[in-house]
Amino acid sequence: SVQLVESGGGSVQAGGSLRLSCVVSGYDDSEDCMGWFRQGLGLGREGVAVIGSDGRATYRDSVKARFTISRINANNTLFLQMNSLKPEDTDWYYCTAGCAVAGDTWLGGYWGQGTQVTVSS
């Protein structure tokens, strides 16, 4: 079975940094899109950043220049380096494998259980 396990969430003050990690196992298509989404309480899940196996990344406008997504294909590990964090970045962050972005539509595939990020002002 496919499993995605996130880690690295926590609480920081505005302007601080966090690095999220996700280990993917049981997923056959290592060349597929992998990415990060986030979801606030009572809200829909929104795409944050996705990356292909070739390293090409797409970011949500609000996180550009602050967040960096990366992956290690050899061991199906995904990262999200988050700098200059803002209170509005407070959310549950979810790793996904098998994602896609088409225009303004972001789609996830398999999901992890999520990791919470809290940014205080």
Side-chain angles (χ1 to χ4, degrees):
S1 63
V2 179
Q3 289 190 319
L4 296 87
V5 180
E6 301 100 332
S7 60
S11 297
V12 295
Q13 291 191 324
S17 298
L18 284 173
R19 188 181 192 229
L20 306 184
S21 300
C22 174
V23 178
V24 182
S25 60
Y27 189 63
D28 292 337
D29 193 349
S30 62
E31 295 187 359
D32 212 347
C33 166
M34 296 175 68
W36 293 93
F37 283 57
R38 64 188 182 188
Q39 185 172 18
L41 187 64
L43 300 175
R45 198 166 289 186
E46 64 180 22
V48 176
V50 299
I51 185 170
S53 59
D54 60 359
R56 294 175 66 179
T58 301
Y59 294 91
R60 181 174 198 81
D61 286 347
S62 62
V63 308
K64 284 180 180 177
R66 299 189 298 121
F67 291 10
T68 302
I69 189 171
S70 60
R71 64 190 284 174
I72 301 175
N73 293 329
N75 56 11
N76 270 357
T77 304
L78 183 70
F79 303 96
L80 185 67
Q81 177 67 42
M82 304 187 294
N83 299 328
S84 302
L85 281 161
K86 304 176 180 180
E88 51 263 43
D89 294 319
T90 295
D91 263 331
W92 278 86
Y93 284 71
Y94 296 87
C95 172
T96 185
C99 47
V101 177
D104 294 332
T105 302
W106 295 60
L107 299 173
Y110 294 96
W111 298 100
Q113 81 288 351
T115 185
Q116 190 170 20
V117 171
T118 303
V119 184
S120 58
S121 57

